[in-house]
Amino acid sequence: MKIAIVHDWLVTYAGAERVLEQMLVMYPDADLYAVCDFLAESDRAFLHGKLPDTTFIQRLPFARRKYRTYLPLMPLAIEQLNLSAYDLVISSSHAVAKGVLTGPDQLHLSYVHSPIRYAWDLQHQYLRESRLDTGLKGWAAKWLLHKMRLWDVRTANGVDHFVANSTFIARRIWKVYRREAEVIHPPVAVDSFKLTVPKEDFYLTASRMVPYKRIDLIVRAFSKMPERKLVVIGDGPDRTRIQALSSSNVRFMGYQPFRILRDYMQRARGFVFAAEEDFGIVPVEAMACGTPVLAFGKGGVLETVVEGETGLFFREQSVDSLMEGIRRFEVAYQSFDPHLIRAQAETFSEERFRKAFSSLVEQKWKAFSR
């Protein structure tokens, strides 16, 4: 059986790339394809020496820094990949990878991290944050996203089986494509983290500082609670704005290597998470350290954090709701069992992902090849 694995683009090692990494572990003889590949040499280890075949986007001017501006061309680009020689095509898609062309004698299984967020339910937020909600450029962006939605729905017909990274995303897939999806949660490297007790007297949040992560909300809430210490790890375009909102009990550390992040995660009293994520790997990493999580109660985190056992939820993305959540967290803190929290994280291990995904592929291939 000849296998091709198709990924959207390779520019960093994040959640989608962790899924790709495990796919390559399971299918080491598979060939790899991507829209473009601009990974730094220091980030390439997870590809296990593979060099992906890429599209014409790779060679366009300024693509290394501005690849996202070529999004309108990516549907055309992904359709130019010739995968006719493969029996099984696995796409790892949060944008266009699921749109590869396959024939009736090929099985196409698509692991969807999310339908294209900025073309569907997050369009208005994306346009607002990009300052494209008004004016001539705004109308051009809206028209392009409209065309992207039409293409996205059409290409869903070329997928034989959808796999979602959470029940939350399975609902999105049904809403957008009217297709059922099996849920296999993404892999978390829980063995890279150590259960640590006792904890120290500070809270932690860690993220890239972009608007939807809502680090500003966390900083504003803790700045109103000077008796509680907060450590913020991460960098990004919003850092200056967010740092200006803070008081002396909030410490910004900027980007930190993994070993430093892990050390703080293991020692923190609690991990605070305010984003609405498709799954949310970082809260599971915190739980792997035995650290309870205080999270915004929407999205994939509802499938990982067990309220009252491994953490608590706050119900609105507002300062008052988060502050109330911190107070409830303090009252409940002694009831959290670090060993139970760690055990919950272990249910999202890399080994569990490989077992579930390979079993599903085998099942679908047997049915297809009868």
Side-chain angles (χ1 to χ4, degrees), residues 292-293 306-312 329 332-338 341:
V293 174
V306 181
E307 187 160 33
E309 294 185 11
T310 70
L312 292 178
F329 190 91
Y333 188 76
Q334 294 303 321
S335 66
F336 294 132
D337 180 351
I341 295 171

Side-chain angles (χ1 to χ4, degrees), residues 143 204 207 215 219 230 248 306 317 347:
W143 182 83
L204 174 70
S207 172
I215 303 300
V219 168
L230 174 69
S248 59
V306 181
Q317 282 179 317
T347 65

Side-chain angles (χ1 to χ4, degrees), residues 112 115 162 164 169-179 181:
V112 175
F162 279 102
I169 292 303
R171 292 200 303 269
R172 257 192 192 154
I173 290 170
W174 174 255
K175 181 76 173 182
V176 172
Y177 307 135
R178 282 299 188 257
R179 295 281 300 277

Side-chain angles (χ1 to χ4, degrees), residues 199-206 218 222 229-231 264-273 283 286-287 290-295 310-312 329-330 333 336 341:
K199 303 296 185 180
E200 298 182 18
D201 189 25
F202 68 89
Y203 287 81
L204 174 70
T205 190
I218 300 172
F222 274 87
K229 298 175 184 176
L230 174 69
V231 173
Y264 275 83
M265 202 172 273
Q266 290 172 170
R267 293 188 289 115
R269 182 175 180 82
F271 186 85
V272 188
F273 189 74
M287 291 193 297
T291 301
V293 174
L294 176 61
T310 70
L312 292 178
F329 190 91
E330 286 293 324
Y333 188 76
F336 294 132
I341 295 171

Side-chain angles (χ1 to χ4, degrees), residues 280-329:
I281 285 178
V282 181
V284 181
E285 293 176 337
M287 291 193 297
C289 305
T291 301
V293 174
L294 176 61
F296 173 51
K298 196 171 181 181
V301 75
L302 292 174
E303 301 167 47
T304 58
V305 176
V306 181
E307 187 160 33
E309 294 185 11
T310 70
L312 292 178
F313 298 119
F314 60 98
R315 302 301 173 181
E316 298 176 3
Q317 282 179 317
S318 70
V319 171
D320 288 342
S321 182
L322 176 51
M323 290 174 65
E324 190 269 336
I326 295 168
R327 286 189 282 267
R328 286 191 295 110
F329 190 91

